Amino acid sequence: MSEIPAKATESEDPSGGARGGASVGSAAAAEAPAATGGPVWQVSPPGSMYDYIKVASFSIGPDGHVDQWSLRAEQLFGISSERAVGMDPIEAFVAPDLRERGQRKMTEILDGREWTGVIPFRTPGPEGDEGLAEVYVMPTTTEEGERAAVCIVVDVRTLRRIETDLAASQAIFGQSPFGFLLIDADLRVRRANERFASTFGGAPDDHRGRSVHDYLQPPEAERIAATLRRVLATGESITDMHVTGFVPGSDERKHWSVNLYRVHSGTGRAIGIAWLGIDITSRRAAAREAAAARRNLALLNDAGARIGNSLDLETTARELLDVVVPGFCDLAAVDLYQGLMAGDETPPGLADGSAEVRRVAFASAVSDAPFAGGPGPVAVGAVHHFSFNSPCADALRTARPRHIPATDGGLIQSTLAVPMVAHDTVVGLAQFSRTKGSEPFGERDRALAVELAARAAVCIDNARLYRREHERALLLQRSLLPPGDPEASGLDIACRYLPGNAATGRPSEVGGDWFDVIELPGHRTALVVGDVMGRGLRAAVAMGELRTAVRTLAQLDLEPAEVLAQLDEIARGLGAPAGTSQTFGSGGGVQQATRAARRPREADLAEVYLATCVYAVYDSVTRRCTFANAGHLPPVLVEPGEPALMLDVPPGMPLGVGGEPFEEVEVELPEGALLALYTDGLVESRDHPLDEGLQAFVGTLTDPSQPLEDVCDHVLRTLDTHHGEDDIALLLARVQGLPADSVGDWTLPREPRSVGRAREHARGRLLAWELEPLVDTAELLVSELVTNALRYGEGEIRLRLLLDRTLVCEVWDAGLVQPRRRRARDTDEGGRGLQLVGLLSAAWGSRRTPRGKTVWFELPLPGGENGITDPAEALLSLF
């Protein structure tokens, strides 16, 4: 029996790992001289099964003792060959209670009988490990002809582990719910499981020897083959690789998620690739559906944020196209009915789809791509119409979207014509197109297009309604402003009103700014500038109500502070619920309305109207001006040769706040001085502080002697950067006091002779003014007023004649009782004085003064539009 060397060298495994050399008995090993002179193993091919299960061998001599001991035996039993050779294997490895039986078996083996069995063993030593070995004993003879034996030993634990691994592998491979392939080093299928075979047809064995080219089309197959070669060469695993292909008998494109990893033998040698695949077609479809839903939701969210930020029709249409191109389609256009844009109302359901429309917006991500089924290239702003039988006209007529198929050779692949419907009214048509290469429109796209068009339609209709209401509100607002340049006694007037313009280009919204010039008795003038807080039609209406109230209160000839106090009550009454009394005068009715509006149960119905206002009364005789301010910006005064300055008028609280009295300030205005009243739109801006705007405005008023129209233009031109979204009202007045020779003023004692003296004073002054045609009428009326002052008044009497555009006569006394006109009966001898004054004068009235009252009448000058009434005819008409 050949000798087994005590130690074997290590051979290099091709897979990159080192493995120990081994011999399988004396017949499987032979010595060969090495370059170094030592023994070299002639080993089995790398990765042999014997290497994996670690087969050990030893031989037993005729004496029953070990005479050869292999390296694998050393590894298995933990005994070196030096110790093992010469040992009795029965005594060394078999338990004492089994040794007798073991000796019998050894005798039978040496008698020439083979034996295979499992025997327990224990490695020598006090702490030897127990094991179980499967032994195959083959009888043999020595060179001398004596009986011997060769033993092949395998550790049963290794065999059981192999059996368990094979069972687990089979369970995983065969029972896996995924497609499982084992691909060899030649990229051929070595094994397939049932799941894979059920997908691609046939039995698992039918797939042996196939390659990826048998399952996938060339481009995809070549990509996968290259990936398999890379995994086999590098050992890098591939996770969730997407593979696309078709299964036999179906045209449906399938998608799989594939995991690849290299498979090694027990010794570490690469033997192939494991392919684990799962069908993700449904998952991909669901993912696409979810992605499309997220994209559509994002598009709708974007549309909600970006469409409708402007109340301009064209801007709203462009906002729609900014959302859909290129996120939803490649090009799009919006056409609106020409009649609606012109302000007409089209009843729903009557449009036949062929009416004139105007293209208000167009957007394209490509060039030279006209719409399919359209009227050809249409410029933005052009008016056109769709033919009656066209899909676009049908969409407008039926208020339902229409799909327009692609034309041969055209760039457009698919077009949706979607009517824009708002409040059951078709306002126009939106067209969405996709070019070739894009995915055609589907049902989901159709629904999304309808939703986008509907949202834009509502915004466009709101913009249309706003434009209409805005124009009406502007008309209302301008109708409430003084027409042209108003005239006033002793004042040269110029004014400007500009509606606010937003910096974004949106249509201006009506505000509540107003100004007014009101002529008062005695050649006095009330100058008013106010601003209702807020914007829109409600602000314009509130402005109109306050302006009317100011005019009414001015005619009562109240002091400026009293006028503002009454306006404050009225402003608070404007917010009272419907049905609440809203009156003014003594204040009682207004207070009742205000209390009613403040009741807790009606608090939610009340609306607060706040306004600022400056009210000034100018007397052209004295050139004195009395100011009262309700939260407004201060007036600006420019005296000749002096810099402009803001008058120190206490601002007070805005109208509608209530609870605080208003103060008055009286200022004497020099001849030629310039007075400026304005609203905050002139000086206030988002980009500039108010103080900066005020200083800029004051700086523009440098020369009060320039023509007022030029001054107005200069102010607006210079302050253009301060003009924001608010309205601008500007009122300029140059002082031109009444000349001294145009005033006649006399004080009369309280005696009957004063009536005759009054007539003489009036006659003399009128003749001096060359107003002889007015002498008789003026004498008669002066005598009536002086007579009433003597009869019903108190204190001395003052007569004043004022000549300007008309002749005004004023009679003052210290009495507080106001004259009251009454109708005298035919039998009454008196009581017709005030009736006569009313018949002969152009206007008459009375007003309170700090020290009594003033009764006045006004006569037109000769040659004017209004003729002079004949006193004789007026007297006869009384009877």
Side-chain angles (χ1 to χ4, degrees), residues 607-630:
E607 182 176 359
V608 177
Y609 283 88
L610 298 179
T612 63
C613 181
V614 169
Y615 185 85
V617 176
Y618 170 72
D619 190 333
S620 63
V621 178
T622 63
R623 293 201 312 274
R624 301 189 70 82
C625 189
T626 304
F627 297 91
N629 189 355

Side-chain angles (χ1 to χ4, degrees), residues 108-115 137-141 147-150:
E108 293 176 358
I109 291 169
L110 294 177
D111 287 341
R113 295 179 62 180
E114 292 185 359
W115 181 80
V137 184
M138 296 174 290
T140 186
T141 58
R147 300 286 181 93
V150 175

Side-chain angles (χ1 to χ4, degrees), residues 340-419:
L340 292 180
M341 298 196 66
D344 299 336
E345 294 289 345
T346 302
L350 296 183
D352 63 358
S354 61
E356 286 188 340
V357 293
R358 181 191 301 177
R359 177 144 300 174
V360 295
F362 174 81
S364 175
V366 296
S367 59
D368 301 328
F371 284 107
V378 177
V380 174
V383 177
H384 64 97
H385 65 86
F386 299 106
S387 62
F388 183 81
N389 295 325
S390 66
C392 293
D394 185 61
L396 289 171
R397 185 166 49 251
T398 62
R400 294 182 178 180
R402 290 292 180 265
H403 181 269
I404 303 175
T407 57
D408 296 336
L411 182 63
I412 302 300
Q413 174 183 247
S414 180
T415 298
L416 285 175
V418 184

Side-chain angles (χ1 to χ4, degrees), residues 374-701:
V378 177
V380 174
V383 177
H384 64 97
H385 65 86
F386 299 106
S387 62
F388 183 81
N389 295 325
S390 66
C392 293
D394 185 61
L396 289 171
R397 185 166 49 251
T398 62
R400 294 182 178 180
R402 290 292 180 265
H403 181 269
I404 303 175
T407 57
D408 296 336
L411 182 63
I412 302 300
Q413 174 183 247
S414 180
T415 298
L416 285 175
V418 184
M420 306 182 72
V421 183
H423 311 299
D424 298 328
T425 300
V426 178
V427 299
L429 183 75
Q431 297 182 69
F432 309 105
S433 290
R434 290 178 179 174
T435 57
K436 291 183 178 179
S438 300
E439 184 177 353
F441 288 115
E443 285 301 319
R444 180 183 290 104
D445 297 323
R446 183 189 183 104
L448 179 60
V450 170
E451 177 65 22
L452 291 172
R455 291 193 179 196
V458 171
C459 295
I460 287 175
D461 194 53
N462 289 341
R464 177 183 65 84
L465 295 175
Y466 169 79
R467 176 180 291 183
R468 185 188 66 187
E469 295 303 318
H470 178 259
E471 291 174 353
R472 293 177 179 177
L474 277 179
L475 182 62
L476 169 64
Q477 185 184 38
R478 289 170 180 169
S479 68
L480 296 175
L481 297 175
D485 290 333
E487 296 181 354
S489 177
L491 292 175
D492 185 11
I493 302 290
C495 51
R496 292 287 189 275
Y497 175 81
L498 296 178
N501 296 318
T504 57
R506 294 183 295 177
S508 60
E509 190 174 4
V510 175
D513 292 16
W514 90 92
F515 67 92
D516 210 345
V517 178
I518 307 170
E519 291 190 79
L520 301 178
H523 290 305
R524 294 173 303 129
T525 304
L527 303 176
V528 188
V529 169
D531 183 6
V532 176
M533 297 182 186
R535 303 188 63 79
L537 185 59
R538 298 178 66 84
V541 171
M543 177 270 284
E545 293 179 332
L546 290 178
R547 178 180 179 270
T548 302
V550 170
R551 279 191 159 267
T552 304
L553 293 170
Q555 296 302 324
L556 297 177
D557 219 348
L558 302 177
E559 296 297 323
E562 182 64 20
V563 170
L564 293 186
Q566 295 293 336
L567 280 179
D568 179 60
E569 292 289 341
I570 293 170
R572 284 187 284 166
L574 291 178
T580 304
S581 175
Q582 299 182 22
T583 60
F584 58 87
S586 62
V590 174
Q591 293 173 359
Q592 293 176 1
T594 304
R595 286 194 295 269
R598 291 176 178 175
R599 292 173 184 170
R601 64 184 179 85
E602 297 178 345
D604 56 336
L605 300 177
E607 182 176 359
V608 177
Y609 283 88
L610 298 179
T612 63
C613 181
V614 169
Y615 185 85
V617 176
Y618 170 72
D619 190 333
S620 63
V621 178
T622 63
R623 293 201 312 274
R624 301 189 70 82
C625 189
T626 304
F627 297 91
N629 189 355
H632 204 79
L633 296 174
V636 176
L637 179 65
V638 187
E639 297 184 9
E642 300 290 337
L645 58 88
M646 289 182 286
L647 295 178
D648 187 13
V649 179
M653 299 298 292
L655 302 177
V657 175
E660 294 293 333
F662 298 97
E663 298 182 41
E664 292 182 356
V665 173
E666 188 176 63
V667 179
E668 184 174 352
L669 305 179
E671 185 74 18
L674 179 64
L675 180 66
L677 303 178
Y678 54 96
T679 57
D680 56 3
L682 183 67
V683 296
E684 193 172 30
S685 170
R686 294 180 178 180
D687 303 326
H688 302 85
L690 178 60
D691 290 343
E692 181 181 333
L694 287 172
Q695 292 301 323
F697 172 55
V698 171
T700 61
L701 301 174

Side-chain angles (χ1 to χ4, degrees), residues 66 81 94 130 145 154 184 218 223 239 265 309 316 348 357 401 554 566 634 644 689 696 709 741 767 837:
V66 176
S81 60
V94 178
E130 294 184 354
V154 178
D184 62 19
R223 181 178 72 89
T239 302
S265 66
N309 293 322
T316 303
V357 293
Q566 295 293 336
E709 296 295 331
D741 57 0
L767 292 176
V837 173

Side-chain angles (χ1 to χ4, degrees), residues 52 99 170 250 255 314 364 374 376 379 528 569 623 646 663 710 713 805 820:
Y52 180 67
R99 288 175 183 170
Q170 180 61 33
S250 175
H255 301 273
E314 293 80 0
S364 175
V528 188
E569 292 289 341
R623 293 201 312 274
M646 289 182 286
E663 298 182 41
D710 295 342
D713 294 338
R805 291 176 295 124
R820 182 173 60 87

Side-chain angles (χ1 to χ4, degrees), residues 256-345:
W256 294 277
S257 173
V258 175
N259 297 325
L260 301 174
Y261 58 92
R262 192 169 66 181
V263 179
H264 304 85
S265 66
T267 60
R269 180 173 64 89
I271 62 175
I273 300 171
W275 170 300
L276 183 64
I278 181 173
D279 189 345
I280 60 171
T281 304
S282 299
R283 189 175 75 189
R284 282 281 296 269
R288 285 197 304 270
E289 293 287 330
R294 287 193 298 270
R295 184 176 62 252
N296 292 349
L297 286 176
L299 199 64
L300 289 175
N301 181 64
D302 192 25
R306 298 174 61 182
I307 299 176
N309 293 322
S310 169
L311 288 174
D312 179 72
L313 295 173
E314 293 80 0
T315 302
T316 303
R318 288 194 299 269
E319 290 170 345
L320 169 63
L321 301 194
D322 290 341
V323 170
V324 300
V325 178
F328 177 70
C329 61
D330 298 316
L331 61 159
V334 174
D335 298 281
L336 300 180
Y337 275 124
Q338 175 68 6
L340 292 180
M341 298 196 66
D344 299 336
E345 294 289 345

